[in-house]
Amino acid sequence: MEKQYVRVNGNWEDDGSFIPLFILWENGLKYKIEKIGQRCPAASLISGGAGLRYTCLFSHGQRRYLYFCENRWFIEK
């Protein structure tokens, strides 16, 4: 698998943490993140890179990992 860099919209919390709310693909599609299950430092063993990994639950129960690495967001394709 490869990395798909995406834009992310979200909110900054009072403690300085960031909560992603939407993923925006380069073709304009926007996907709402229904729930964040976990946020932790981790490596992407599939596509390479390491950073802050968010376990995201999207509509229809689809679970994907969203990474913030080197000031960019990516999701495994």
Side-chain angles (χ1 to χ4, degrees):
M1 285 191 176
E2 62 185 72
K3 296 177 189 174
Q4 173 65 51
Y5 288 100
V6 294
R7 290 181 25 213
V8 174
N9 285 356
N11 291 330
W12 289 100
E13 298 295 309
D14 291 338
D15 65 0
S17 62
F18 184 77
I19 307 298
L21 300 174
F22 294 94
I23 290 178
L24 299 127
W25 292 91
E26 59 187 28
N27 64 2
L29 290 177
K30 182 177 181 180
Y31 293 96
K32 182 178 186 215
I33 299 170
E34 300 291 335
K35 182 179 178 183
I36 302 291
Q38 183 181 38
R39 184 186 72 188
C40 63
S44 171
L45 301 177
I46 295 173
S47 60
L52 199 53
R53 181 181 76 188
Y54 293 78
T55 304
C56 300
L57 185 65
F58 294 90
S59 60
H60 307 294
Q62 186 180 22
R63 189 186 83 174
R64 302 283 297 271
Y65 293 126
L66 174 66
Y67 293 88
F68 185 68
C69 178
E70 299 176 4
N71 295 321
R72 294 176 76 184
W73 293 95
F74 74 88
I75 199 161
E76 296 166 336
K77 268 182 140 173

